[in-house]
Amino acid sequence: MSEHRRKPPQPQGGGRAAARRGQSGSSSGRRAAPRGATGSPSDSHGSGGRGEERTYGSRAEARRAAQRGGGSRRRAAPAAGPGRGRGRAAPPAKKRIIDYPRHDQYGWRRWMPSWRLVTGLCIAFFGGLVAVAGVGYALVDVPNIALTAKAQNNVYYWSDGSQMVATGGERNRQIVNLTQIPKAMQNAVIAQENKTFRDDSGIDPKGIARAVFNMARGGETQGGSTITQQYVKNAMLDDQSQTLSRKFKEIFVAVKVGTTEDKDTILEGYLNSAYYGRGAYGIQAAARAYFNKEAIDLNEGECALLAAVLKGATYYDPNGSPSIDPVNATAAANKKRALTQMQDTLDKMVEYDLLDPETRAKYPKLPKVQNPRSNTALSGQIGYLVDLAKAYIVNNSDETGITASKLEQGGYSIYTTFDKKKVKELEKSVQKVYKAKIRPKERPETDTHVQFGGASVNPATGAIEAIYGGEDATKHFTNNADATGAQVGSTFKPYVLAAAMKWGVRDPERDPSQAQDERTIVSPKSLYNGKNKLKIKNYDGSIWRNEKGEEWLQVNDGDQSYGTPPDYKVDLREAMRESINSSFVQLGMDVGLDKVKEAAIDTGILKSSLAGTDYPSFSIGTSSPSAIRMAGSYATFAASGKQREPYSVKRVTSKDGTVYTHKTETKQAFTAQVADNVTDILKTVVEEGTGTNAQLPGRQVAGKTGTTDGNKSAWFVGYTPQLSTAISMFRYPDDESIKNRQFLEMFGTGGEKKIHGASFPSQIWADYMEDALKGKAPQPFPTPQPIGTVVNDDPEPSPTPTPTETESETPSASPDPTPSQTTPTPPQPSNTCRPFDFNCEDEDDSGGNGPGGADDGGTDGGVPTSPTPTQSDGVGNNRGNGNNGGPGFFGGPAG
């Protein structure tokens, strides 16, 4: 239709038709507004109007206009005037106390709280906090520092349940007035811990939030950040649990202390309640424990060190805390850490005008501290036993639930595995040798610094029943049963034999492309070369060379060759009996040093204590496990291949009941066939080989002697079916002031030309074991089942003469490229020497020649794990700071 012929729009007002259309649209709510409508029908009759009406050219436009103006049809209905159609006005909403969701809003505004509601909730919340804080403030008391000295001891018990000692958690404290505490100590603590102490309110909101957040994540709550908070924490001995309620209680007490006590009283209380290590609580006890002087007499350097120790005695005591953390808390690491912290404290004192620079310059080094053991109850072997038990508890805190800090707080009853009778017998056997043979005054060049270590482990359970840690725990601080760094020498050879019987030797003609090695399980009758200066080969027959291209020529003890020329073959039983180095080094290469290492680990020697694993001499004892670990390892053979971790604590209880109970776990390291064959060969060592001094009348004994290059350590490790014991001997200076301490040679020690495992160690072993097993019926070892194939067999093997019966030291090999072809075959001696028959002369047993590796420092951990020069899991100290550590390139172990 053309534009000029369109009808004009009808006016809103007149006409019955328009009225009918308006009424109909209002009542039905379905039809669109008529053309030209501007809103609801009521608009056409309303008073006042809405201005000029808009017109639309179509129904679609009218619908869009209606939607823009009033939304949906359904929402438009209530807007109709009274009496028009079906729509009626909604009744007014009833008012609520909390208008939420909001009644007079639509869409997202309906769910947005009003400012009145938000303000009311905030007032209620903060009002509640004030009320809670007021109640908490009123209920808590200001701590009385005098009451904090009433802490509990830890009580240690022998294996039979009788009390050993009450110690470890006692409070060694004497409260002094602030006037008796040097101003330098007060300033050192303020400078290092809380420089705003004199002006702050006593609490640190950020520190509190950090502690609560850390606890919420499952970690340990952190200590208070201010001196006031730390004082409150130290003083609250009624509840030492790390819980949210206790943390809030600390906050209320800190607030109350900060508002009711003056700063001098708070500082005095803190310095008298803080723990400084060594069982010392309070500055007076700390001054005595570290410097053996009164607190008032401490100088600025000593005060700065004690302020450093407050950060954690385990890691800042210059003497170290190896019983707690033998890896990170060694004496060397602690000294470095303490010196850095002490210097930082002095620098801050100068920065905050608490110390003049001239006085500060007087203290560039750590002050000298005294013996960390002052408790006479820990003398003799008791201190070593307590250290071992403490280390087991703390190092297994995941199982025991007892951290170092909890153990220090006391209140525990600790039931150990230590047999009182066996501990005394082992100490007595060692002292017999000291008194009869070791004379440092007469022979200062050879008999000074002589030390022994020892340990006994029950093969059936893994329980450590006895140790010998040294002469006296209050004089000699390193536990020689647990950490020495002394290499084990030929006592390592049973692991080579076990590996050969478990995995076998590799086929020299196998296809290298095959993923699986072709291997042959070894029989005890297998033959190996016993020649001195033997050129060591890889399993495929190629010559082994080190990184410098040098060949390995393995020497035997005393440059002795075994076997008959030209092949010098001896069977493995004889090779073990005479401790022939060349045979076992080549066997280790044929089996693979990785398998030898695995065999040692399977018995309980941890990887961390193994050294020189890439060199042929690894098979003859370059590693330095502890006496505890060696006894536990041989116990695996005694138990027919069942390995059980050595442990020292059976049970721990507190006032709340049993806290921890040990559960023995058994692993099958080897089959009974393998383990029993190793035992059968080790029996030969004691019956007719290098270990005859360890024979026990009426009992079967298996064991192995061990001596190391340079005659710097000697061992005997042996066992019966009921008990496994390791004895070590070495020379190592006690004095930490000696720089670059090294293991010393033992030529001439005790009046002997040379010390080897067949001498003092085996004698001590036999004397102790005879008493330790008294009253127990002898038990035989299991009869071994035949195993393996005879490798390197000849159709007509040559007869093998028996060489001199002496311990085969683990010496350095000779670099001489032309091995000696001489084959001495001395007559068999009649060995009638018995333990402590000191008038009986042993055969001269001179060592091999050639350059060997120097002493290699290291540590070995106690229970439940073994150590290393960089890591240790049990009780242990770093020992052995020799230069040029590492294995010798020419066949000998490192020292």
Side-chain angles (χ1 to χ4, degrees):
M1 181 181 294
S2 65
E3 193 70 29
H4 68 277
R5 297 182 61 186
R6 180 176 295 170
K7 290 183 178 182
Q10 297 295 323
Q12 176 91 16
R16 295 180 180 178
R20 284 198 300 272
R21 284 195 298 272
Q23 188 174 12
S24 174
S26 176
S27 62
S28 66
R30 296 178 180 270
R31 297 183 60 182
R35 194 176 300 171
T38 60
S40 65
S42 61
D43 289 340
S44 63
H45 303 285
S47 60
R50 296 198 179 188
E52 294 204 16
E53 295 145 346
R54 296 180 56 186
T55 60
Y56 299 92
S58 68
R59 294 182 180 180
E61 291 180 3
R63 282 196 299 270
R64 285 195 293 271
Q67 290 169 357
R68 285 195 297 269
S72 66
R73 299 186 186 96
R74 183 170 299 175
R75 195 174 294 167
R84 289 192 175 272
R86 297 165 59 189
R88 300 181 64 88
K94 185 178 180 180
K95 290 186 177 181
R96 295 173 291 177
I97 297 177
I98 299 178
D99 185 18
Y100 190 83
R102 298 171 68 181
H103 77 285
D104 57 348
Q105 298 293 329
Y106 299 97
W108 61 270
R109 292 183 178 85
R110 178 174 171 81
W111 302 99
M112 286 295 294
S114 66
W115 67 269
R116 295 183 183 89
L117 180 60
V118 172
T119 303
L121 289 176
C122 289
I123 292 173
F125 176 75
F126 288 107
L129 286 182
V130 171
V132 170
V135 172
Y137 185 89
L139 292 178
V140 297
D141 295 321
V142 173
N144 183 351
I145 192 61
L147 299 178
T148 63
K150 297 180 180 179
Q152 301 178 75
N153 288 337
N154 290 320
V155 182
Y156 293 80
Y157 296 89
W158 295 103
S159 60
D160 62 1
S162 61
Q163 183 172 319
M164 179 197 304
V165 65
T167 186
E170 75 279 6
R171 260 57 173 175
N172 172 22
R173 177 182 297 148
Q174 179 183 351
I175 297 174
V176 293
N177 294 326
L178 193 64
T179 56
Q180 296 299 307
I181 301 174
K183 199 68 177 178
M185 186 67 205
Q186 301 175 40
N187 291 335
V189 170
I190 292 173
Q192 189 57 253
E193 300 289 335
N194 184 191
K195 67 177 182 180
T196 62
F197 168 72
R198 294 290 181 183
D199 304 313
D200 64 31
S201 62
I203 62 171
D204 177 11
K206 290 183 179 180
I208 294 170
R210 185 170 57 248
V212 173
F213 176 72
N214 189 51
M215 183 179 59
R217 291 191 306 167
E220 264 192 67
T221 56
Q222 300 169 336
S225 299
T226 68
I227 287 177
T228 303
Q229 287 176 260
Q230 292 181 58
Y231 162 56
V232 168
K233 185 177 184 295
N234 294 339
M236 288 177 62
L237 293 178
D238 59 322
D239 178 15
Q240 289 294 328
S241 60
Q242 297 293 334
T243 62
L244 191 61
S245 61
R246 183 183 186 275
K247 183 57 60 179
F248 278 115
K249 185 177 180 181
E250 285 182 12
I251 295 172
F252 290 137
V253 175
V255 171
K256 193 164 189 175
V257 168
T259 56
T260 60
E261 302 290 338
D262 62 72
K263 293 294 185 178
D264 283 349
T265 302
I266 295 171
L267 185 60
E268 176 186 302
Y270 173 62
L271 293 173
N272 276 309
S273 64
Y275 181 60
Y276 297 80
R278 303 189 178 190
Y281 286 80
I283 184 62
Q284 178 69 7
R288 283 294 179 190
Y290 284 87
F291 307 111
N292 195 27
K293 60 171 61 174
E294 297 292 317
I296 192 62
D297 297 326
L298 294 172
N299 62 39
E300 287 80 359
E302 292 165 343
C303 290
L305 175 59
L306 291 181
V309 168
L310 285 174
K311 284 198 167 289
T314 298
Y315 299 102
Y316 289 90
D317 183 339
N319 280 89
S321 303
S323 63
I324 302 300
D325 187 346
V327 178
N328 301 307
T330 62
N334 278 22
K335 283 179 180 178
K336 182 178 180 180
R337 200 178 289 120
L339 177 60
T340 300
Q341 190 67 27
M342 169 189 163
Q343 296 302 312
D344 181 66
T345 300
L346 291 170
D347 289 341
K348 286 180 178 178
M349 291 172 71
V350 174
E351 180 183 351
Y352 303 148
D353 295 325
L354 301 174
L355 182 67
D356 61 87
E358 292 75 17
T359 304
R360 187 261 177 271
K362 296 178 182 178
Y363 304 104
K365 298 180 180 180
L366 282 174
K368 186 177 181 180
V369 297
Q370 66 170 359
N371 170 7
R373 293 186 188 273
S374 58
N375 189 341
T376 57
L378 298 177
S379 62
Q381 300 304 305
I382 300 299
Y384 303 125
L385 298 173
V386 168
D387 280 351
L388 203 61
K390 286 170 61 177
Y392 180 83
I393 292 170
V394 173
N395 292 328
N396 289 279
S397 59
D398 290 345
E399 298 178 20
T400 64
I402 304 172
T403 62
S405 59
K406 288 183 178 180
L407 192 62
E408 288 169 356
Q409 292 163 11
Y412 294 103
S413 295
I414 300 164
Y415 297 85
T416 74
T417 60
F418 307 130
D419 185 301
K420 185 176 182 179
K421 175 178 175 291
K422 289 185 176 70
V423 171
K424 288 184 176 180
E425 293 296 343
L426 182 54
E427 183 178 27
K428 184 174 69 174
S429 296
V430 173
Q431 291 302 323
K432 281 184 182 180
V433 169
Y434 266 123
K435 292 177 181 178
K437 300 293 287 184
I438 309 301
R439 300 187 178 95
K441 293 183 179 179
E442 296 179 14
R443 296 186 290 266
E445 296 298 319
T446 61
D447 285 19
T448 54
H449 312 303
V450 176
Q451 299 182 34
F452 292 92
S456 284
V457 172
N458 188 324
T461 63
I464 304 172
E465 298 192 347
I467 65 166
Y468 179 82
E471 137 183 50
D472 189 318
T474 63
K475 299 176 182 177
H476 172 73
F477 311 132
T478 301
N479 187 344
N480 290 345
D482 185 47
T484 63
Q487 295 176 336
V488 296
S490 293
T491 57
F492 204 80
K493 290 173 181 173
Y495 309 133
V496 185
L497 181 62
M501 291 181 174
K502 179 176 181 178
W503 287 286
V505 296
R506 293 172 288 188
D507 181 2
E509 298 180 358
R510 77 177 181 88
D511 183 357
S513 64
Q514 294 179 350
Q516 188 72 24
D517 282 353
E518 295 291 337
R519 291 180 174 268
T520 302
I521 301 300
V522 170
S523 161
K525 296 180 181 179
S526 296
L527 302 173
Y528 269 82
N529 198 316
K531 180 182 177 181
N532 184 51
K533 296 184 180 178
L534 177 67
K535 185 177 293 186
I536 299 302
K537 301 178 180 180
N538 295 307
Y539 77 92
D540 60 3
S542 61
I543 303 300
W544 189 95
R545 298 177 185 274
N546 64 20
E547 60 272 17
K548 297 180 179 179
E550 300 165 324
E551 297 179 351
W552 193 285
L553 303 178
Q554 182 60 56
V555 301
N556 291 326
D557 185 34
D559 287 326
Q560 174 79 38
S561 287
Y562 295 80
T564 302
D567 52 19
Y568 296 96
K569 286 185 178 178
V570 295
D571 65 32
L572 292 179
R573 186 179 296 273
E574 180 181 354
M576 184 71 77
R577 185 184 75 213
E578 306 304 333
S579 200
I580 302 173
N581 291 335
S582 56
S583 299
F584 277 96
V585 169
Q586 187 59 61
L587 176 60
M589 298 300 292
D590 291 351
V591 174
L593 298 181
D594 59 330
K595 296 300 183 185
V596 175
K597 174 182 176 180
E598 187 173 341
I601 292 172
D602 286 345
T603 65
I605 303 294
L606 295 189
K607 177 182 178 180
S608 55
S609 69
L610 302 177
T613 56
D614 296 329
Y615 293 88
S617 62
F618 175 66
S619 295
I620 50 177
T622 58
S623 302
S624 55
S626 68
I628 290 172
R629 281 286 156 183
M630 290 302 292
S633 173
Y634 273 47
T636 300
F637 297 121
S640 294
K642 294 181 175 64
Q643 190 268 332
R644 300 172 177 99
E645 278 294 298
Y647 71 101
S648 56
V649 176
K650 297 187 293 185
R651 183 166 54 97
V652 180
T653 64
S654 70
K655 61 182 178 61
D656 298 320
T658 299
V659 177
Y660 166 76
T661 301
H662 174 78
K663 295 179 181 178
T664 297
E665 295 184 2
T666 301
K667 301 176 183 177
Q668 194 70 42
F670 308 110
T671 63
Q673 186 183 31
V674 171
D676 293 343
N677 272 279
V678 172
T679 293
D680 190 61
I681 291 176
L682 293 181
K683 281 173 58 183
T684 307
V685 175
V686 177
E687 291 169 355
E688 51 188 86
T690 60
T692 54
N693 279 342
Q695 292 176 0
L696 298 176
R699 294 185 186 274
Q700 292 187 3
V701 175
K704 185 69 187 76
T705 53
T707 307
T708 56
D709 186 28
N711 202 211
K712 294 177 180 177
S713 62
W715 289 75
F716 184 80
V717 187
Y719 54 93
T720 68
Q722 296 136 306
L723 194 62
S724 176
T725 299
I727 302 294
S728 64
M729 179 179 178
F730 52 93
R731 292 181 64 210
Y732 188 82
D734 264 337
D735 189 355
E736 291 188 2
S737 65
I738 300 176
K739 294 184 178 180
N740 299 321
R741 288 184 294 167
Q742 298 184 15
F743 286 85
L744 306 175
E745 293 181 345
M746 294 190 291
F747 296 109
T749 298
E752 304 289 325
K753 292 182 179 179
K754 177 183 177 182
I755 299 297
H756 44 76
S759 58
F760 296 151
S762 63
Q763 293 167 6
I764 292 171
W765 188 96
D767 185 68
Y768 158 69
M769 289 288 282
E770 187 171 0
D771 291 329
L773 295 173
K774 190 174 293 181
K776 292 188 177 181
Q779 293 182 8
F781 288 115
T783 301
Q785 298 299 312
I787 190 172
T789 301
V790 179
V791 300
N792 301 324
D793 192 15
D794 289 332
E796 296 180 2
S798 303
T800 303
T802 304
T804 304
E805 185 179 289
T806 60
E807 156 62 11
S808 178
E809 181 188 345
T810 306
S812 295
S814 170
D816 187 354
T818 307
S820 172
Q821 299 297 320
T822 59
T823 309
T825 54
Q828 171 78 16
S830 57
N831 192 330
T832 58
C833 296
R834 294 297 301 145
F836 303 107
D837 184 2
F838 297 113
N839 293 321
C840 180
E841 296 293 333
D842 291 314
E843 282 292 321
D844 183 12
D845 193 7
S846 59
N849 53 20
D855 293 324
D856 184 21
T859 64
D860 192 72
V863 186
T865 51
S866 222
T868 130
T870 58
Q871 179 177 354
S872 175
D873 305 84
V875 183
N877 292 325
N878 287 330
R879 293 296 298 275
N881 296 315
N883 297 324
N884 305 318
F889 284 129
F890 296 100

